[in-house]
Each structure stands twice: as C-alpha cells, then as structure tokens.
C-alpha cells in the first residue's frame, strides 16, 4: 500500500559529535505520529541527510525501525555515489520502511534523462526493491534534475511496479497534475502543507513537509475535513515562515517546544 496523508519531513537531532541521535529522535517522532502525522519522512532535506555519512544514515534508520511503526516511515536514500545509494536503499527496505525516497545524483548535472534512467537501472538491479517501494524525489533546485512527465513515464515503463509515487519540492501544480495524469495510482505529494487544498482537489496523496512538525494536528484536520477555513489556516501558518531559513527556523521552534537546545545543532555548513 502506497504512503498517503500528512507526512512530516523530520529534523535529525545530532549529538555533541554531530552524529544522528536516535535516543533523542524516537520520543519526538513518536509524538508526531500520535498527534496528527500519518507518517514521517526521515533523512530528507530537512533532516540534513546529505551532510550525514552513509554508515551513520544506515545506523539511524535501523535504530528508528526498532522503535517506531516502520510502515509509517519512509527514508531518504539518494546519494551522488551509486554504491552509497545502493547501500542506503537496501538498508531502508531491509529495515521494513514503507518506501525509500530517492533524489537522483546531483553533481554531474548535464547527464540528461538517459543518465538518470541508467542510474535507476543500476540502483534497482542491485537492490531489487519490492513492489511499489520507491518514491521519486523531485527537487530540481538541489539535484539539478526535474522529474518531467516524459522522464517519469520512461521510468514507469522501464521498471514496472517499483515506483509508488513522487514528492515534489518544486511545488509546481501544473507538473504535479501532469504526473498524476500519467498514472492515477502514483502517490503525488507536494512539499508544502500550503498546497493541501489543491492536493485534495486534484486527488493527490497528501503532503510531505518540513514544517508540518510545527502544527501536525492542524494539518491533519485540514486534510481530513477539507474545510476551507481549516485549509486556509494551515496555509497562513506555512506562509508565516516565508523569507526565513526553513531548517533553522524549525530547529529553533522545536528546541523551544522540547525545552532542549540539542535540537539546535546542525552539521556545517548549516
């Protein structure tokens, strides 16, 4: 079953050595699941995954899987190095996560669609992912690649039954509609709760957002009820963060809520 609903793209807490701290994360993540989140996207952009070494990402995924409902977790497993993406994706799926969220390699940006297809062919041939266990991660500002309808169509044909959906952090409604039209079973997730109204209107799966953790119950109420005032209230909350660095702002608010300054730690350069 594909992920659906309100997903928080979670912060990763770090210890004094700047390594992921599952002991701090687990009770906080559990609270998010109990207070409005249908699921969590760990080790994504908000979770600073690309600043964390592969071994530490694997250990963190495995620790979370031992303490939280794995069917409500997805993890970011993309990497520039194919071998790292293989290690991370295999670890995520072996740990029982509902999906691996894969951003394409992001250093050689002139690779074109052929290079992206070859990357996923190499990844899938090595990992052998189970049916509908891969989420594509569209974030062109960070990866240099756009999952256009043409590219996604090629991937769906080349790897039937593997891809369950796509997170779109470009938040472009026209693109999301075109991707949904390719295959109505694709779980399309905008990257902001400000877009929940259009997500409901167009039959998308929900949202995956780094700020949902600040108001999970309000986001869930808006998503389930569809009430215009509830949807507008969540949009206003998200818009209040515009112009501020998202990760730093969310860290500051979570540190205050949790009464724990450890949540303020980020790995350089953040």
């Amino acid at each position: 079953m594909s992920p659906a609903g309100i997903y928080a793209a979670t912060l990763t807490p770090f210890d004094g050595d700047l390594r992921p701290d599952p002991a701090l994360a687990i009770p906080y993540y559990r609270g998010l699941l109990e207070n409005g989140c249908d699921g969590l996207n760990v080790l994504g952009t908000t979770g600073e995954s690309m600043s964390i070494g592969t071994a530490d990402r694997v250990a963190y995924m495995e620790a979370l899987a031992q303490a939280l409902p794995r069917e409500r977790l997805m993890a970011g497993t993309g990497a520039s190095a194919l071998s790292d993406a293989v290690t991370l994706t295999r670890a995520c799926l072996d740990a029982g996560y509902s999906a691996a969220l894969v951003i394409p390699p992001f250093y050689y940006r002139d690779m074109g669609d052929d290079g992206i297809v070859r990357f996923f062919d190499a990844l899938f041939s090595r990992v052998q992912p189970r049916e509908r266990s891969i989420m594509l991660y569209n974030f062109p500002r960070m990866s240099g690649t756009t999952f256009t309808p043409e590219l996604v169509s090629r991937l769906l044909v080349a790897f039937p039954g593997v891809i369950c959906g796509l997170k779109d952090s470009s938040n472009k409604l026209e693109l999301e509609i075109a991707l949904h039209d390719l295959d109505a079973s694709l779980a399309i997730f905008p990257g902001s709760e400000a877009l929940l109204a259009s997500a409901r209107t167009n039959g998308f799966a929900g949202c995956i957002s780094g700020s949902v953790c600040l108001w999970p119950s309000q986001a869930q109420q808006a998503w389930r009820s569809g009430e215009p005032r509830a949807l507008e209230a969540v949009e206003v909350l998200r818009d209040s963060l515009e112009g501020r660095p998202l990760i730093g702002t969310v860290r500051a608010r979570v540190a205050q809520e949790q009464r724990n300054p450890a949540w303020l730690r980020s790995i350089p350069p953040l």
Side-chain angles (χ1 to χ4, degrees), residues 174-193:
E174 183 178 356
L175 173 63
E176 292 162 4
I177 291 172
L179 293 171
H180 188 256
D181 286 346
L182 284 177
D183 183 343
S185 71
L186 277 180
I188 303 297
F189 287 90
S192 170
E193 61 273 33

Side-chain angles (χ1 to χ4, degrees), residues 37-74:
C37 290
D38 293 295
L40 305 177
N41 166 208
V42 304
L43 294 173
T45 301
T46 308
E48 302 181 41
S49 60
M50 297 305 168
S51 296
I52 305 170
T54 298
D56 283 341
R57 287 168 74 179
V58 169
Y60 190 66
M61 281 191 283
E62 291 175 344
L64 298 181
Q66 294 300 313
L68 298 169
R70 292 167 286 181
E71 70 278 4
R72 296 174 69 183
L73 303 176
M74 68 175 73

Side-chain angles (χ1 to χ4, degrees), residues 163-264:
I163 297 166
C164 64
L166 177 142
K167 177 190 176 184
D168 177 36
S169 287
S170 75
N171 292 320
K172 296 186 180 299
L173 179 59
E174 183 178 356
L175 173 63
E176 292 162 4
I177 291 172
L179 293 171
H180 188 256
D181 286 346
L182 284 177
D183 183 343
S185 71
L186 277 180
I188 303 297
F189 287 90
S192 170
E193 61 273 33
L195 303 176
L196 284 177
S198 60
R200 284 180 56 87
T201 299
N202 291 286
F204 300 160
C207 78
I208 301 172
S209 169
S211 53
V212 156
C213 68
L214 302 178
W215 33 75
S217 59
Q218 294 98 315
Q220 184 60 252
Q221 180 189 4
W223 174 246
R224 288 188 179 179
S225 71
E227 294 177 358
R229 283 186 294 182
L231 291 163
E232 183 180 356
V234 170
E235 184 175 351
V236 169
L237 287 170
R238 172 65 188 225
D239 288 348
S240 71
L241 303 178
E242 288 300 314
R244 308 179 188 183
L246 180 66
I247 296 173
T249 301
V250 173
R251 280 202 178 278
R253 294 195 182 185
V254 170
Q256 185 176 31
E257 290 173 3
Q258 298 294 305
R259 296 182 174 86
N260 189 340
W263 283 98
L264 295 171

Side-chain angles (χ1 to χ4, degrees), residues 113-151:
D113 287 2
D114 289 345
I116 298 297
V117 173
R118 284 196 294 270
F119 168 81
F120 278 98
D121 181 50
L123 175 66
F124 294 163
S125 67
R126 287 161 174 77
V127 174
Q128 293 294 308
R130 63 179 183 270
E131 186 175 0
R132 298 185 66 79
S133 63
I134 300 296
M135 290 277 295
L136 304 177
Y137 187 10
N138 188 57
F139 202 174
R141 183 167 66 86
M142 305 302 278
S143 70
T145 295
T146 298
F147 279 112
T148 63
E150 294 75 19
L151 175 54

